[in-house]
Amino acid sequence: MPRVSLYTTAFCPFCHQAKGLLEEYEIGYEEVDLGAEPERRAEMVERAGGRVTVPQVFIDGAHVGGCDDLYALADRGGLDAIAESGAVAVDENGAMALDEKGAVAVDEDEA
């Protein structure tokens, strides 16, 4: 199963929605609560290419984006692919590779 990490805060409704979506697909995740670990905010901003809002979601180190981006990935079947295969293809830039339909490509060597 790919490693999923989220940067969140306790009172963020979008963070709760993102976590709920991952739980719906039975995809485990590591949560970095920036309220409890504020020193990690700079790490999040750097990894997220300058984005400062929460949540910020990463799958196998590749930046997915925020809550809306995670829902868009689910709408394209990307979370199904992750939940079913447990393997995500990554492009030469370290981003999640997408197939011709815009869904997350599966790494056949890892599936």
Side-chain angles (χ1 to χ4, degrees), residues 35-57:
E37 299 181 81
E39 68 279 2
R40 294 190 66 186
R41 184 171 288 276
E43 168 191 307
M44 178 199 77
V45 172
E46 182 178 332
R47 289 185 69 199
R51 288 188 176 184
V52 297
T53 58
V54 290
Q56 290 300 318
V57 182

Side-chain angles (χ1 to χ4, degrees), residues 2 29 32-34 44 56 59 68 74-75 77 88-89 91-92 95:
Y29 57 87
V32 178
D33 181 350
L34 295 177
M44 178 199 77
Q56 290 300 318
I59 299 177
D68 289 343
D75 289 344
V88 177
D91 68 16
E92 64 277 357

Side-chain angles (χ1 to χ4, degrees), residues 37-110:
E37 299 181 81
E39 68 279 2
R40 294 190 66 186
R41 184 171 288 276
E43 168 191 307
M44 178 199 77
V45 172
E46 182 178 332
R47 289 185 69 199
R51 288 188 176 184
V52 297
T53 58
V54 290
Q56 290 300 318
V57 182
F58 297 83
I59 299 177
D60 277 349
H63 186 227
V64 173
C67 185
D68 289 343
D69 301 306
L70 186 63
Y71 270 87
L73 180 63
D75 289 344
R76 294 190 312 264
L79 294 183
D80 285 321
I82 292 167
E84 291 170 10
S85 74
V88 177
V90 178
D91 68 16
E92 64 277 357
N93 298 316
M96 285 185 300
L98 303 178
D99 65 16
E100 62 279 352
K101 296 177 185 172
V104 173
V106 173
D107 185 341
E108 299 297 335
D109 295 333
E110 298 290 328

